[in-house]
Amino acid sequence: MAPAGLRYPFAPPELGAATEVAEGVLWMRLPLPMALDHVNVYALEDGAGWCIVDTGFDSRKSRALWEALLAGPLAGRPVTRVLVTHHHPDHIGLAGWFQGRGAELITTRTAWLMARMLVLDDQPLPTPETLAFWRGAGMDPALLEQRAQERPFNFTDAVAPLPLGFTRIAEGGVVRIGGRTFDVRIGNGHAPEHATLWSREDGLVIGGDQLIPSISPNLGVYATEPLADPVADWLESCARLARFADEGQLILPGHKLPFHGLPTRLRQLIDNHHGALARLEVHLATPRTATECFPALFKREIGPGDYGLALVEAFAHCQHLWHAGRATRTRRDDGAWLWQMKA
Ligand SMILES: [Zn+2]
């Protein structure tokens, strides 16, 4: 039997409005100042208040939109809990702000530690380790020179301070929200210890950026953990989570549209990377730096706005082939790694 395609039962809500996607579950959007111009957030009825899922960036605009949502679709009832799927700023940005207004923060230990560490790590300029990592990835020398003088993106630019204290969720755990019992299953690769929540009652699945339609989440290596293999982590997570996927589930993703068809989608998310790795194997018949692999990996021109994400993703795919024992790497005189397939 041919696998069913993806189905999208709802059109996106306007900014400041909400769409009910399941009983007691509202879908809302907040703007992002990037090519991916929105993040999805959800509010689940939870006793006398709401449990919200993810928050958007901390910005004046996001706070004003939340005020409008709280007074409008959320009917003035309090946000008692904030569940954060992973540590990225578009998801955890306003968690501390909600905590300041009395909400409990629920997330994984790694997500909380990463966010709390990064929010305290003020960097006026890129660290020497980051510069060395960019050089290792073969960043264009003129761009490297320019970025070395510029203040990099700091978590504090888009994430409110996180007060001490959170409630941990972990693989195999359970969270009760309103009338639903959710099983917690952890994914990796896009963000370490990314939570997904699977309702036992009605097939509602909170997917964050782990379970997402139409865009493939960024898998990147950074100076923080330069030998990481996020491609392996991602492929392992997709295969493991696929065991729990069925056609009837409604997936609530962190971006784009709620969808049915998770078994198909997980297959696509795996195949995308196998396809990219196969193209890379051909491309690495001759030794190349990670940035020289953009044409093989991305089917579009990489502009200045995409360069950073493309660099960490290209590095991740080269390094995956090296971890798998299929490629070698050698340092060029300028510090860049050259990757090449073994004969
Ligand atoms: Zn993310």
Side-chain angles (χ1 to χ4, degrees):
M1 204 170 74
L6 270 60
R7 285 155 291 127
Y8 304 100
F10 304 100
E14 301 289 323
L15 287 182
T19 299
E20 186 172 46
V21 293
E23 197 184 333
V25 181
L26 301 181
W27 168 34
M28 296 154 293
R29 279 187 159 178
L30 293 173
L32 297 178
M34 317 177 307
L36 181 58
D37 64 0
H38 69 276
V39 59
N40 294 330
V41 298
Y42 303 92
L44 282 69
E45 279 181 9
D46 190 25
W50 298 97
C51 175
I52 62 167
V53 175
D54 293 337
T55 69
F57 272 167
D58 180 16
S59 66
R60 272 224 298 271
K61 203 169 175 183
S62 295
R63 289 185 189 214
L65 262 166
W66 266 118
E67 297 288 10
L69 290 166
L70 291 165
L74 303 192
R77 285 155 60 189
V79 172
T80 50
R81 299 197 282 175
V82 179
L83 195 150
V84 169
T85 55
H86 64 297
H87 79 273
H88 291 161
D90 45 337
H91 299 264
I92 205 167
L94 280 168
W97 181 67
F98 280 107
Q99 284 182 282
R101 298 158 67 121
E104 172 192 13
L105 173 60
I106 304 171
T107 192
T108 67
R109 181 179 282 166
T110 308
W112 189 79
L113 290 172
M114 288 291 288
R116 171 102 177 138
M117 183 243 326
L118 289 167
V119 103
L120 297 172
D121 189 16
D122 182 46
Q123 296 179 359
L125 290 172
T127 62
E129 296 83 3
T130 294
L131 294 173
F133 181 75
W134 286 342
R135 204 171 291 118
M139 182 182 274
D140 172 66
L143 187 60
L144 184 69
E145 179 70 22
Q146 180 197 328
R147 294 216 173 167
Q149 318 298 327
E150 290 174 352
R151 184 177 187 275
F153 173 79
N154 274 239
F155 246 52
T156 45
D157 299 342
V159 180
L162 284 159
L164 273 184
F166 78 107
T167 300
R168 182 189 178 198
I169 49 175
E171 175 68 35
V174 154
V175 185
R176 280 174 234 287
I177 305 172
R180 292 181 180 84
T181 303
F182 290 92
D183 288 303
V184 179
R185 306 192 207 284
I186 298 300
N188 287 292
H190 172 65
E193 209 186 353
H194 180 308
T196 64
L197 288 95
W198 305 60
S199 163
R200 292 180 182 178
E201 287 78 14
D202 61 358
L204 195 70
V205 179
I206 294 169
D209 288 357
Q210 190 77 40
L211 308 172
I212 201 165
S214 61
I215 50 172
S216 194
N218 184 255
L219 310 182
V221 176
Y222 299 86
T224 325
E225 196 182 332
L227 289 178
D229 187 357
V231 174
D233 294 341
W234 179 258
L235 294 172
E236 185 279 331
S237 300
C238 289
R240 180 167 40 80
L241 294 172
R243 300 208 306 267
F244 305 101
D246 69 53
E247 295 293 340
Q249 290 158 335
L250 176 66
I251 316 304
L252 306 182
H255 305 275
K256 303 291 177 178
L257 304 173
F259 66 100
H260 296 289
L262 185 58
T264 301
R265 185 56 191 152
L266 284 168
R267 172 79 355 240
Q268 292 171 343
L269 285 168
I270 291 168
D271 289 348
N272 286 346
H273 293 287
H274 285 314
L277 290 166
R279 296 194 299 279
L280 196 54
E281 288 190 30
V282 175
H283 195 64
L284 292 181
T286 43
R288 300 188 203 260
T289 66
T291 56
E292 287 167 354
C293 294
F294 289 176
L297 288 172
F298 309 111
K299 296 161 193 162
R300 61 193 161 84
E301 201 60 41
I302 298 300
D306 303 326
Y307 191 92
L309 287 175
L311 179 146
V312 296
E313 178 120 11
F315 196 94
H317 282 80
C318 292
Q319 187 144 281
H320 179 72
L321 292 174
W322 176 72
H323 274 297
R326 286 146 67 193
T328 60
R329 65 172 201 175
T330 49
R331 279 272 194 208
R332 203 166 60 184
D333 288 346
D334 65 355
W337 288 110
L338 288 170
W339 310 87
Q340 185 175 20
M341 292 311 290
K342 289 183 180 171

